[in-house]
Amino acid sequence: MTEIPLIARARAHATSIAFRSGTSTQTYQDILDRSHGLAAALLGEADDLNEARVALLLPGGFGYVAAQWAIWRAGGIKLPICLSATESEWEYALTDSSVSIVMTDAAMAPKIAPLCERLGVRLMDIEAITAVPVKSLPSISPERRAMILYTSGTTSKPKGVVTTHANIQAQIESLVQAWEWSASDRIPLFLPMHHIHGIINVTSCALWSGAMIEPFARFDLNAILDRVSEDAYTLFMAVPTIYVKLIQALESFSESKRTAIIGGFKRMRLMVSGSAALPASVHEQWTALTGQKLLERYGMTEIGMAISNLYHGERRPGAVGAPLPGVEVRLKAESGKIITTEDMPGEIQVRGPGVFAAYWNRPEATAEAFNGDWFCTGDMAVLERGYYRIMGRLSVDIIKSGGYKLSALEIEAALLEHLMIAECAVIGLPDDTWGEAVTAVCVLKDKATLDLPTLRDWCKGRLSVYKVPQRLLVVAELPRNAMGKVTKPAVKALF
Ligand code: MCA
Ligand code: AMP
């Protein structure tokens, strides 16, 4: 029988602790047993889920991983959805990928139950599943599709990125090798579990290595810092917004508290930043504060991690480093030529076994995203003294806020449903904490008025919290020239 390597490897660490939360712990054997039981419950009378899509609505931790492995061991495709998404965002993902089962827990079940009922999707509260007869599980080949992650882009609706078990394994192995993961590592998990950063970089790399994960239901700064001061961790992975928030918090603490926490950070073997640009000033502030040199890396949902500063070697502020093991990177100039020298900017293109298989049900979008077998990232970079430096994105319609990739077009489409808004454009304005702040530029309908608190209130329940505009610019009118181009918009109000 072919078993998924991530799961087969767990047997070698059977008695080691995989998850710790306060005094409660679960071993690798516990994950194997629980995922086997949940796989049997998923299968029922069937022998194989044959790539049926199963959504996961769970916080990171033991339950999440047991459910994830259950889906994989039963032969299904796992589709994690955002805990804080709105019902319409959930509905889009469930219908776009024709999900047949949603796995969740008692806390989340009531929130998604009405939607499941309306869509005719089976809802499985994993906490309600206790004794299940053990049954034999199907053989899973590396080429089988394993996961769909929804990602925003230059279309108004997110696309499902499909990866196979082989893709996921390649993404894990590359990082385990580059950052020297080992069974003695201990890492906190506070990132959302519907993105690669939390799923692969933290959770899957740790479990591949026999390491220990301490999950937090959300980014609970004080609880995490208490554990840092107790030397609980050897590794730390976060987005730049989190480092900004940590610096602000550390500066506000008493001398003794700050010293204890900084000691915990200092003694970690590695701290990583990624998912968005880490300003060189934050990199330098962190080093001045803790003595740790953050390792910045670059990745994308479609490719996993591609470029990283060196574990042993230079960690250059403002640069993302060199290609990771098994990943090929090239830059393509606007002229279409492949760049072969340093200091010439071009689009990053990536090739390797970690690159995704396809966008779910979108063959045209998949074809457009590739240049031969090279994936076109839409990010611009330049190679300088052997390291890549990200210069920005090709499309202004992609906003990165708090590490989340957002589509300006998706937010515009939602705002245009507001009765007062005639026209709108959504942009990302630079922001010290969030990287970019979602900003709505609106022309209102005749005699209408709108302010930011009213708009934000209206957005609640329609858009996830991180997509809600942080700033509003109301434009009186948009004068256009003979070519139809906007000439000089008059600002009416700025919030
Ligand atoms: C939340 N708030 C915001 C934003 N998000 N304000 C401005 N911009 C935002 N983006 C506001 C809320 O409205 C709320 O306001 C207050 O901040 C607290 O919200 P909360 O959600 O509780 O914030 P938090 O818990 O402090 O969250 C910040 C966070 C989170 C921890 C940075 O955004 C996060 O986990 N980001 C990481 C996302 C991630 O993993 N990305 C990786 C995907 P009020 O108090 O007024 O209500 S990228 C990826 O996977 C690729 C492959 C890669 O390279 O890694
Ligand atoms: P996502 O599609 O959510 O996986 O986000 C991927 C995008 O995040 C990339 O295409 C980049 O634009 C951005 N990104 C990730 N890491 C970095 C980094 N270290 N520096 C700048 N941008 C980054």
Side-chain angles (χ1 to χ4, degrees):
M1 189 185 98
T2 316
E3 196 174 33
I4 298 154
L6 175 62
I7 296 169
R9 286 176 65 92
R11 300 188 197 289
H13 306 287
T15 56
S16 305
I17 293 174
F19 292 99
R20 177 197 297 279
S21 202
T23 52
S24 140
T25 57
Q26 289 95 15
T27 63
Y28 280 77
Q29 188 61 50
D30 292 331
I31 317 179
L32 287 166
D33 295 344
R34 183 68 177 142
S35 61
H36 196 153
L38 290 175
L42 280 170
L43 284 166
E45 298 298 305
D47 295 328
D48 191 328
L49 288 183
N50 287 317
E51 297 193 338
R53 272 73 62 208
V54 182
L56 258 191
L57 183 66
L58 289 165
F62 174 71
Y64 181 104
V65 170
Q68 169 178 265
W69 287 14
I71 299 166
W72 287 347
R73 296 176 86 182
I77 299 180
K78 166 217 173 190
L79 189 153
I81 50 178
C82 177
L83 289 169
S84 60
T86 63
E87 185 169 300
S88 62
E89 289 168 333
W90 282 338
E91 180 169 357
Y92 173 74
L94 299 194
T95 49
D96 187 64
S97 53
S98 313
V99 161
S100 50
I101 308 172
V102 172
M103 294 176 93
T104 188
D105 57 15
M108 291 305 291
K111 298 189 179 141
I112 201 164
L115 177 66
C116 289
E117 202 175 313
R118 185 153 60 78
L119 299 179
V121 169
R122 177 177 159 203
L123 182 63
M124 185 192 265
D125 169 4
I126 59 168
E127 286 165 351
I129 293 173
T130 44
V132 192
V134 170
K135 76 182 267 167
S136 62
L137 300 174
S139 191
I140 308 294
S141 79
E143 284 68 42
R144 191 187 282 232
R145 294 179 294 179
M147 184 157 74
I148 302 179
L149 297 180
Y150 275 85
T151 187
S152 300
T154 51
T155 53
S156 74
K157 287 292 181 194
K159 297 189 286 277
V161 173
V162 183
T163 41
T164 62
H165 288 287
N167 294 147
I168 291 173
Q169 184 177 339
Q171 292 179 5
I172 299 171
E173 284 184 306
S174 174
L175 292 186
V176 167
Q177 182 188 334
W179 299 342
E180 301 188 4
W181 274 91
S182 81
S184 54
D185 279 318
R186 304 180 303 274
I187 189 165
L189 168 66
F190 42 74
L191 292 169
M193 286 299 282
H194 61 293
H195 283 302
I196 296 252
H197 202 161
I199 302 168
I200 303 288
N201 298 24
V202 178
T203 307
S204 303
C205 284
L207 298 179
W208 181 274
S209 311
M212 195 191 79
I213 299 168
E214 212 169 87
F216 294 83
R218 50 176 296 278
F219 177 63
D220 184 345
L221 186 138
N222 288 311
I224 297 162
L225 289 183
D226 281 349
R227 294 291 290 143
V228 168
S229 66
E230 290 163 13
D231 274 337
Y233 313 121
T234 61
L235 280 170
F236 197 91
M237 295 186 192
V239 299
T241 297
I242 289 179
Y243 288 109
V244 173
K245 285 179 175 244
L246 290 175
I247 291 170
Q248 287 163 355
L250 285 172
E251 282 169 351
S252 72
F253 290 156
S254 68
E255 182 72 29
S256 61
K257 185 168 178 183
R258 187 167 57 232
T259 308
I261 297 167
I262 285 174
F265 280 126
K266 218 181 251 257
R267 286 184 286 276
M268 288 183 192
R269 74 166 183 87
L270 175 64
M271 298 191 70
V272 180
S273 174
S275 299
L278 177 71
S281 58
V282 176
H283 193 296
E284 281 150 7
Q285 259 179 300
W286 191 258
T287 308
L289 201 60
T290 66
Q292 276 277 358
K293 263 190 164 284
L294 294 176
L295 180 151
E296 185 174 6
R297 55 67 182 170
Y298 161 88
M300 197 171 176
T301 307
E302 287 87 337
I303 56 176
M305 297 305 111
I307 307 176
S308 169
N309 275 270
L310 292 184
Y311 180 56
H312 297 289
E314 190 187 7
R315 301 196 190 156
R316 192 187 300 167
V320 290
L324 279 157
V327 183
E328 287 178 83
V329 174
R330 68 181 192 183
L331 296 182
K332 188 175 159 213
E334 228 177 323
S335 65
K337 284 216 174 79
I338 301 307
I339 295 165
T340 50
T341 54
E342 292 211 336
D343 304 317
M344 292 270 292
E347 185 197 26
I348 303 177
Q349 300 194 338
V350 174
R351 184 164 73 171
V355 174
F356 75 126
Y359 290 114
W360 180 259
N361 267 349
R362 283 179 177 78
E364 279 163 24
T366 307
E368 266 173 36
F370 283 87
N371 187 342
D373 54 356
W374 292 86
F375 173 72
C376 311
T377 61
D379 289 310
M380 293 287 292
V382 60
L383 185 64
E384 294 167 338
R385 293 173 288 124
Y387 271 18
Y388 288 94
R389 180 166 62 82
I390 309 287
M391 302 175 75
R393 288 175 295 275
L394 285 169
S395 167
V396 292
D397 288 330
I398 296 173
I399 298 170
K400 264 269 158 167
S401 190
Y404 285 109
K405 184 172 164 187
L406 312 176
S407 160
L409 305 183
E410 186 190 351
I411 302 171
E412 284 165 12
L415 296 185
L416 284 172
E417 285 177 21
H418 192 292
L419 289 176
M420 306 290 182
I421 298 176
E423 292 182 69
C424 86
V426 168
I427 53 173
L429 286 187
D431 185 276
D432 286 347
T433 302
W434 301 98
E436 288 181 319
V438 174
T439 305
V441 184
C442 300
V443 179
L444 303 185
K445 289 187 183 156
D446 257 359
K447 299 202 177 67
T449 54
L450 186 65
D451 59 24
L452 185 61
T454 316
L455 178 66
R456 285 172 58 84
D457 237 28
W458 179 85
C459 286
K460 277 185 200 141
R462 289 180 167 88
L463 289 168
S464 292
V465 66
Y466 44 84
K467 296 180 192 165
V468 171
Q470 302 299 319
R471 292 177 211 172
L472 169 65
L473 187 82
V474 179
V475 172
E477 55 175 334
L478 289 178
R480 294 179 201 268
N481 65 17
M483 310 292 287
K485 208 172 159 203
V486 173
T487 49
K488 217 174 176 192
V491 174
K492 197 164 153 193
L494 175 61
F495 298 93

